[in-house]
């Protein structure tokens, strides 16, 4: 797994507040965002990366948006929680940057992923990026989301999404609330909607000793994912503390400081639960 940071210190540049430029002319791009806003689309962008093996298949151009309604205890990017921490960036700038890597990305069987933060906190901007990555650049598209704001994903946005990377952080509602500060139900409702649409989904589950690794919790996530019928892969992610320095820099207490990473045996045991339900778990 590799990741090459490209922004925001480099190519992401502020473009200032977006002001109305009147109706979109026929010569301009007729995209979902243009139709909805009648003006150029822009959003709060934290950064963009080229990554391999962690944000969908192949090498991906990953746009990380700022702002997230969850406050996950193990979040490795707490610097993306506040939308105002990002830079106001136009969709044109993001697409222009991604276009530089299309040949390289396509050769790897990769694509483009919109992540965060929580991209559905900015649904119009997210829809614009997915639409243009798919139709202008010809890239496979992925949406990385917790599903908590799934009701904001329009059918048009999902039609422009080839793959949803869905984080199901716990099956037990109390544990989910402890981990994220939010309710589990919206994520499950969104997962069921994706199943009804036949949308391909990769489920992501972080195994945290003493928090999400209870056998009944793992079994619950596995049974639910298997019952959806559209989950082609489960990414079982061992908890790590690589983002702890960011918490310290933000003067936020990292309450999992003493929590160890799961052992290989613990990860293998959890993987067997998913495999026993007929899921492809890695």
């Amino acid at each position: 797994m590799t990741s090459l940071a490209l922004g925001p210190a480099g190519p992401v540049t502020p473009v200032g507040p977006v002001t109305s430029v009147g109706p979109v002319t026929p010569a301009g791009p007729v995209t979902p965002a243009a139709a909805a806003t009648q003006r150029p689309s822009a959003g709060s962008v934290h950064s963009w990366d080229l990554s391999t093996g962690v944000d969908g298949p192949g090498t991906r151009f990953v746009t990380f948006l700022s702002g997230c309604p969850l406050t996950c205890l193990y979040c490795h990017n707490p610097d993306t929680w506040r939308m105002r921490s990002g830079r106001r960036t136009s969709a044109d700038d993001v697409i222009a940057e991604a276009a530089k890597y299309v040949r390289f990305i396509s050769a790897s069987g990769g694509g483009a992923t919109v992540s965060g933060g929580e991209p559905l906190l900015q649904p119009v901007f997210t829809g614009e990026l997915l639409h243009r990555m798919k139709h202008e650049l010809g890239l496979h598209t992925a949406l990385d989301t917790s599903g908590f704001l799934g009701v904001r994903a329009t059918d048009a946005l999902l039609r422009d999404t080839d793959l949803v990377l869905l984080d199901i952080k716990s099956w037990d509602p109390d544990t989910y609330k402890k981990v994220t500060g939010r309710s589990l139900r919206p994520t499950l409702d969104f997962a069921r909607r994706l199943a009804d649409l036949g949308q391909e989904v990769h489920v992501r589950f972080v195994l945290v000793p003493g928090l999400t690794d209870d056998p009944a919790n793992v079994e619950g996530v596995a049974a639910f994912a298997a019952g959806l019928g559209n989950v082609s892969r489960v990414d079982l992610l061992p908890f790590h503390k690589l983002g702890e320095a960011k918490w310290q820099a933000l003067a936020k207490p990292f309450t999992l400081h003493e929590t160890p990473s799961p052992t290989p045996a613990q990860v293998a045991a959890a993987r067997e639960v998913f495999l026993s339900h007929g899921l492809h778990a890695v």
Side-chain angles (χ1 to χ4, degrees):
M1 299 182 184
T2 61
S3 178
L4 173 64
L6 303 174
V12 177
T13 55
V15 297
V18 175
T19 58
S20 176
V21 295
V24 176
T25 64
V30 181
T31 64
T37 64
Q38 295 294 292
R39 58 187 174 187
S41 180
S44 180
V45 175
H46 173 268
S47 58
W48 47 57
D49 287 355
L50 283 180
S51 74
T52 301
V54 293
D55 299 290
T59 298
R60 318 286 298 184
F61 182 89
V62 187
T63 309
F64 295 94
L65 304 190
S66 292
C68 186
L70 275 55
T71 53
C72 296
L73 296 179
Y74 51 70
C75 181
H76 58 276
N77 287 317
D79 49 332
T80 66
W81 285 358
R82 296 184 177 184
M83 198 178 298
R84 65 175 179 267
S85 298
R87 295 190 180 192
R88 189 74 170 171
T89 307
S90 72
D92 286 343
D93 283 353
V94 178
I95 297 302
E97 187 64 25
K100 299 175 184 178
Y101 308 98
V102 166
R103 183 174 297 180
F104 173 66
I105 290 170
S106 298
S108 76
T113 300
V114 183
S115 185
E118 172 51 66
L120 293 180
L121 196 62
Q122 303 181 63
V124 173
F125 185 56
T126 294
E128 176 84 348
L129 295 180
L130 291 167
H131 182 87
R132 295 181 64 181
M133 294 287 188
K134 183 178 181 71
H135 297 285
E136 290 183 25
L137 302 185
L139 294 175
H140 175 277
T141 56
L143 172 69
D144 183 4
T145 177
S146 71
F148 181 73
L149 297 178
V151 294
R152 297 190 179 189
T154 64
D155 288 348
L157 182 152
L158 293 175
R159 282 195 296 271
D160 287 329
T161 303
D162 295 310
L163 172 67
V164 175
L165 307 174
L166 182 63
D167 295 317
I168 302 181
K169 302 170 189 294
S170 173
W171 176 251
D172 176 69
D174 292 335
T175 301
Y176 193 93
K177 177 78 171 180
K178 181 177 181 180
V179 170
T180 70
R182 295 289 190 170
S183 168
L184 170 63
R185 181 179 293 276
T187 293
L188 301 186
D189 289 345
F190 184 55
R192 295 185 182 103
R193 177 185 168 201
L194 295 174
D196 290 342
L197 293 171
Q199 190 99 34
E200 184 183 4
V201 168
H202 288 184
V203 164
R204 289 176 156 185
F205 176 69
V206 180
L207 190 69
V208 186
L211 188 61
T212 67
D213 66 335
D214 183 272
N217 191 45
V218 178
E219 171 67 24
V221 174
F224 177 74
L228 293 172
N230 62 327
V231 176
S232 60
R233 169 172 161 155
V234 175
D235 291 314
L236 182 60
L237 306 174
F239 164 72
H240 62 72
K241 291 180 277 191
L242 298 180
E244 185 173 3
K246 293 183 179 180
W247 287 74
Q248 294 172 349
L250 295 169
K252 293 180 180 294
F254 187 67
T255 59
L256 300 182
H257 174 72
E258 300 296 332
T259 301
S261 295
T263 66
Q266 288 173 316
V267 174
R271 183 175 292 112
E272 282 301 317
V273 175
F274 288 100
L275 293 174
S276 71
H277 283 273
L279 294 164
H280 174 56
V282 296

